[in-house]
Amino acid sequence: ARRTVDQHMLRILAAQSGGKRHDALLLSNDLLKALRPCLLREGHVERYGAQLAQMLDQLAQYEQQDHGVAAPDTLHDGAMHGPTPARIPGGHLITTRGLVELIQSQRTPYLLFDVLGGPEILPGAIAAVEAAQPGRFDDQISQQMERFLAQATQGNRQVPLIFYCASVECWMSYNASLRAIRLGYQNVQWYRGGIQAWKAIGGPTMP
């Protein structure tokens, strides 16, 4: 079942009290296990083949394409579906290739957030649809987000936070990323390609 922020908070607290690994690492492993069958080639997860590598390169060009849209440092309050900027102030644009490499490395714990709220999500993603809403950086949404992220990251503002929504024409994850940036997180990754790009490489999803 899809995790909500509140449910996930309980899981984090339980993991802390039980001496388990950092929950962000558990999420990383969830996604790696789901992605593994798609990347296995000759028995080595690290070698995902020339065909997939070429697809990831082509997809990265699409995900990074600049349509001349300005990159505001304020929350977008217009239509949530339409052309988006090719960068985000204070954060990083992560491509599908970058996400796959992060998953495979297993070295860096991260948190992955679904801001779309559609029928499918990436494995291990945390539902954070409210963070997409326009408003102010000091509104109730950001205040709740601040409390949750402080717990989820154990106060480490360097933990990669990855936000995604539908596609390169979706502003929802842009807004959520900006909120995290304004809260002082130093490694916010905007997955601009979103679930559309993920599914383009045969990436797994869950209901």
Side-chain angles (χ1 to χ4, degrees), residues 79-167:
M80 287 297 164
H81 296 281
T84 57
R87 65 180 188 87
I88 184 165
H92 309 278
L93 190 157
I94 188 170
T95 63
T96 303
R97 170 181 280 281
L99 182 55
V100 168
E101 290 173 349
L102 180 63
I103 295 165
Q104 285 185 295
S105 73
Q106 300 187 72
R107 292 190 300 268
T108 306
Y110 60 86
L111 291 170
L112 178 67
F113 295 92
D114 175 85
V115 192
L116 181 62
E120 299 175 288
I121 63 170
L122 273 63
I126 305 165
V129 179
E130 287 190 0
Q133 294 184 22
R136 305 186 315 273
F137 289 118
D138 61 350
D139 61 18
Q140 186 176 7
I141 294 172
S142 282
Q143 292 171 21
Q144 292 173 346
M145 190 175 182
E146 181 177 22
R147 289 192 293 270
F148 170 70
L149 290 178
Q151 289 284 342
T153 63
Q154 297 182 347
N156 183 357
R157 294 179 183 268
Q158 300 297 325
V159 171
L161 306 179
I162 306 165
F163 296 89
Y164 76 88
C165 53
S167 67

Side-chain angles (χ1 to χ4, degrees), residues 59 62-63 94-96 99 116 122 163-170 173 190-200:
L59 191 57
Y62 171 73
E63 292 171 289
I94 188 170
T95 63
T96 303
L99 182 55
L116 181 62
L122 273 63
F163 296 89
Y164 76 88
C165 53
S167 67
V168 297
E169 294 199 345
C170 180
S173 53
W190 174 39
Y191 182 25
R192 186 188 185 203
I195 199 166
Q196 181 185 70
W198 180 253
K199 292 176 70 174

